């Protein structure tokens, strides 16, 4: 028999374990102490700047620079007091899983354990977030692309209903409209632009006192558009808005959408895991009406950045919307894996035709690792603890004479502010409080505006945060506000 094994493979990872251990020491130190690169900015800019090297310095020197100069000057996302925007430093297990994937399955294709976990983790994630079992998923780089992919399915659906294959032919002269609220994430507008619908074709429907899209205004807007010959393509409800964490009335919005034959999309990039907190689960009533939904494991689940998931009721719509058309160099067996004897006999589930990426890392193993580590109970405990932090600030703000709660928290975002008294502009004072917090404290919330008023806005999705830290943060806000008002 001919020997087909060929020469022994060179160790392509070339001492990876040792090198990872070395950089791991620097990363652990960084995660423990955090970073504030601003005071040292000139030094690291000088060390890292410069022209393209003519001759390389070699692996050891690069890795030393990585450990000594680059890592210590990273962002503050790993600090326990990081509560800015809706973004997070990863936890340990998914971080290790993503390194493992980068080595053992750099691509999600071919029939491997990683390809299997891609699908399995999507199923687990859907179940965790209370999605209907008929919704099937695909990963992408985050909420922006996940919304784009979902709206791609919506566009395909609306056009096919009118005899046009949008993925193949374009819009065929149809005028399509997407309905969102004042509070909907702006990536929906960009998705409409990319899909050829146009950013200006996203109607901004007004919100109620809790900043939820008003179904009556939605109904009015669709009625007017239909009368004008415009196609109501999709209604976008949000389960956990970016500014305040509000949850739209999903049932009411879904019913209006379906009454007009429009697709109902739920953006749960941040807030879908919030359904695990039984104190707010009822607010997700109507989620079963969703034709598509998204959730970002790189937000509340603590995955490394670069993982969003789109779920749609009919993945074949995604295929028709996004297929690349056959390519001679991409030989596949259709992806069912039945004939597979080695991993290369089958491409595994062919995700490339269900979204906008061909090459893509194995993300499923990362999500799988989180759900294996924590289980449903562990994720639920984290979500509840984060919601508790927001509720605690709300309580403290309600009770303190110089604090004001701007909106009752629903999930893990609390919008509040210092009240400086009539002689001072509250917006200006609170912006200065935020600046001083960022410059000189361990607390890093961000800000927003609630009905035009400037708000401090901590968003709790950081599992490193403690109740003591939350209390100390509120004290710091009051102390800084008092100082500023006193002229300090
Ligand atoms: C509700 C919502 N949708 C979409 C996005 C966009 O997600 P990403 O930053 O992962 O692209 C965000 C980001 O915060 C969000 O809050």
């Amino acid at each position: 028999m001919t020997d087909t094994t060929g020469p022994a493979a060179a160790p392509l990872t070339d001492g990876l374990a040792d090198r990872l251990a070395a950089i791991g020491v620097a990363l652990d130190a960084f995660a423990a102490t955090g970073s504030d690169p601003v005071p040292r900015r000139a030094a690291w800019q000088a060390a890292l700047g410069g022209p393209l090297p003519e001759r390389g310095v070699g692996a050891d020197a690069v890795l030393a620079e990585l450990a000594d100069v680059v890592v210590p000057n990273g962002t503050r996302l790993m600090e326990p007091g990081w509560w800015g925007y809706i973004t997070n430093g990863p936890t340990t297990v998914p971080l290790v899983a993503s390194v493992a994937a980068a080595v053992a399955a750099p691509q999600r294709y071919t029939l491997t354990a990683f390809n299997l976990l891609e699908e399995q983790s999507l199923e687990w994630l859907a179940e965790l977030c209370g999605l209907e079992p008929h919704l099937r998923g695909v990963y992408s780089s985050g909420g922006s692309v996940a919304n784009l992919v979902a709206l791609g399915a919506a566009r395909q659906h609306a056009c096919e209903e009118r005899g046009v294959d949008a993925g193949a032919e374009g819009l065929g002269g149809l005028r399509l409209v997407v309905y969102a609220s004042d509070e909907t994430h702006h990536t929906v507008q960009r998705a409409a632009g990319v899909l050829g619908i146009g950013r200006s074709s996203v109607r901004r429907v007004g919100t109620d006192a809790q900043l939820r899209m008003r179904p009556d205004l939605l109904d009015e807007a669709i009625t007017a558009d239909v009368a004008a010959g415009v196609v109501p393509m999709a209604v976008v409800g949000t389960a956990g808005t970016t500014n305040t964490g509000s949850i739209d009335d999903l049932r009411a919005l879904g019913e209006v959408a379906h009454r007009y034959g429009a697709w109902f999309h739920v953006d749960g990039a941040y807030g879908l895991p919030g359904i695990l907190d039984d104190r707010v689960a009822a607010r997700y009533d109507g989620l079963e009406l969703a034709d598509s939904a998204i959730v970002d494991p790189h937000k509340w689940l603590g995955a490394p950045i670069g993982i969003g998931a789109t779920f749609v009721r009919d993945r074949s719509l995604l295929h028709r919307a996004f297929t690349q058309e056959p390519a001679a160099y991409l030989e596949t067996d259709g992806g069912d894996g039945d004939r597979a004897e080695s991993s290369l006999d089958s491409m595994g589930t062919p995700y490339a035709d269900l979204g906008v990426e061909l090459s893509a890392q194995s993300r499923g193993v990362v999500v799988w690792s989180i759900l294996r580590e924590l289980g449903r109970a562990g994720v639920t405990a984290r979500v509840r603890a984060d919601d508790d932090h927001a509720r605690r600030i709300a309580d403290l703000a309600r009770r303190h004479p110089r604090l004001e709660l701007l909106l009752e928290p629903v999930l893990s975002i609390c919008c509040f502010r210092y009240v400086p008294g009539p002689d001072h502009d509250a917006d200006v004072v609170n912006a200065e409080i935020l600046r001083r917090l960022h410059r000189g404290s361990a607390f890093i919330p961000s800000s927003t505006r609630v009905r035009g008023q400037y708000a401090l806005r901590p968003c709790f999705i950081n599992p490193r945060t403690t109740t003591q830290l939350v209390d100390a943060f509120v004290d710091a806000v009051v102390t800084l506000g008092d100082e500023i008002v006193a002229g300090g």
Side-chain angles (χ1 to χ4, degrees), residues 392-409:
R392 187 168 182 86
I393 294 191
D395 281 348
L396 294 171
R398 250 191 306 267
R399 280 191 269 128
H400 198 287
R402 293 194 301 293
L403 294 178
E404 180 185 10
L405 180 64
L406 292 177
L407 196 71
E408 201 63 48

Side-chain angles (χ1 to χ4, degrees), residues 239-240 244-245 247 270-271 274 280 284 300 386-387 390-391 409-413:
T244 67
I247 300 172
Y270 151 56
V280 278
Y284 294 78
W300 220 338
D386 290 332
D387 287 352
R391 287 163 181 231
V410 175
L411 294 172
S412 66
I413 296 174

Side-chain angles (χ1 to χ4, degrees), residues 27-28 78 90-101 302-305 366 369-370:
L27 288 168
D28 275 346
M78 295 297 282
T91 53
T92 307
V93 168
L95 185 59
V96 173
S98 73
V99 174
I305 295 300
V366 178
S369 76
I370 296 166

Side-chain angles (χ1 to χ4, degrees), residues 179-487:
Y179 302 86
S181 86
D182 299 337
E183 299 289 313
T184 306
H185 199 268
H186 47 253
T187 51
V188 166
Q189 265 160 282
R190 182 168 52 197
V194 173
L195 290 166
I197 298 156
R199 289 195 296 275
S200 63
S201 296
V202 177
R203 300 260 190 277
R204 291 289 184 169
V205 178
T207 48
D208 65 14
Q210 293 179 49
L211 301 180
R212 300 175 305 180
M213 192 196 299
R214 278 181 49 188
D216 57 324
L217 296 182
L218 172 67
D219 204 326
E220 275 174 27
I222 301 184
T223 308
D225 281 333
V226 170
V230 175
V231 176
M233 180 187 107
V235 172
V236 179
T238 306
T241 59
T242 317
N243 279 332
T244 67
S246 289
I247 300 172
D248 280 331
D249 182 341
L250 303 178
R251 178 165 303 286
L253 300 187
E255 283 175 358
V256 174
H258 287 170
R259 196 177 314 137
Y260 291 94
W263 183 273
F264 182 43
H265 172 58
V266 175
D267 181 347
Y270 151 56
L272 214 52
I275 198 170
L276 292 167
D277 184 340
D278 54 12
R279 297 168 297 182
V280 278
R283 296 200 183 236
Y284 294 78
D285 175 53
L287 182 58
E288 76 276 10
L289 299 178
D291 297 300
S292 60
I294 70 160
V295 61
D296 275 357
H298 72 195
K299 291 189 167 63
W300 220 338
L301 297 186
I305 295 300
I307 310 186
T310 303
F311 295 91
V312 295
R313 66 168 156 77
D314 177 3
R315 263 199 321 202
S316 73
L317 273 170
L318 287 181
H319 192 273
R320 294 195 293 282
F322 293 116
T323 182
Q324 318 165 78
E325 307 293 348
Y329 80 101
L330 284 177
E331 188 189 342
T332 89
D333 65 356
D336 58 16
D338 281 352
R339 291 186 287 108
E341 286 169 10
S342 85
S343 71
L344 288 178
D345 289 343
S346 165
M347 292 298 279
T349 305
Y351 297 103
D353 280 320
L354 304 179
V356 293
E357 299 167 314
L358 173 54
S359 288
Q361 68 268 43
S362 297
R363 299 174 173 114
V365 65
V366 178
V367 175
W368 167 85
S369 76
I370 296 166
L371 302 181
R372 277 297 277 173
E373 180 194 2
L374 300 175
R376 193 199 301 260
V379 179
T380 303
R382 274 199 191 160
V383 165
R384 278 186 75 97
D386 290 332
D387 287 352
D388 282 344
H389 294 322
R391 287 163 181 231
R392 187 168 182 86
I393 294 191
D395 281 348
L396 294 171
R398 250 191 306 267
R399 280 191 269 128
H400 198 287
R402 293 194 301 293
L403 294 178
E404 180 185 10
L405 180 64
L406 292 177
L407 196 71
E408 201 63 48
V410 175
L411 294 172
S412 66
I413 296 174
C414 185
C415 294
F416 75 111
R417 65 184 190 165
Y418 177 83
V419 182
D423 298 337
H424 296 269
D425 182 332
D427 287 5
V428 172
V429 171
N430 281 280
E432 179 59 17
I433 291 174
L434 188 75
R435 202 181 71 83
R436 293 188 188 189
L437 286 170
H438 287 182
R439 292 276 169 102
S441 89
F443 314 113
I444 319 150
S446 52
S447 66
T448 191
R449 285 189 176 270
V450 177
R451 291 185 217 89
Q453 294 185 303
Y454 188 95
L456 300 172
R457 175 197 165 280
C459 169
F460 298 102
I461 55 170
N462 183 344
R464 301 162 192 88
T465 296
T466 60
T467 309
Q468 291 86 327
L469 205 62
V470 170
D471 288 351
F473 162 60
V474 175
D475 288 345
V477 168
V478 174
T479 306
L480 286 172
D482 290 351
E483 255 172 48
I484 294 163
V485 166

Side-chain angles (χ1 to χ4, degrees), residues 88-114:
N88 213 358
T91 53
T92 307
V93 168
L95 185 59
V96 173
S98 73
V99 174
V103 176
Q107 292 272 11
R108 59 185 160 171
Y109 313 114
T110 74
L111 191 64
T112 64
F114 292 84

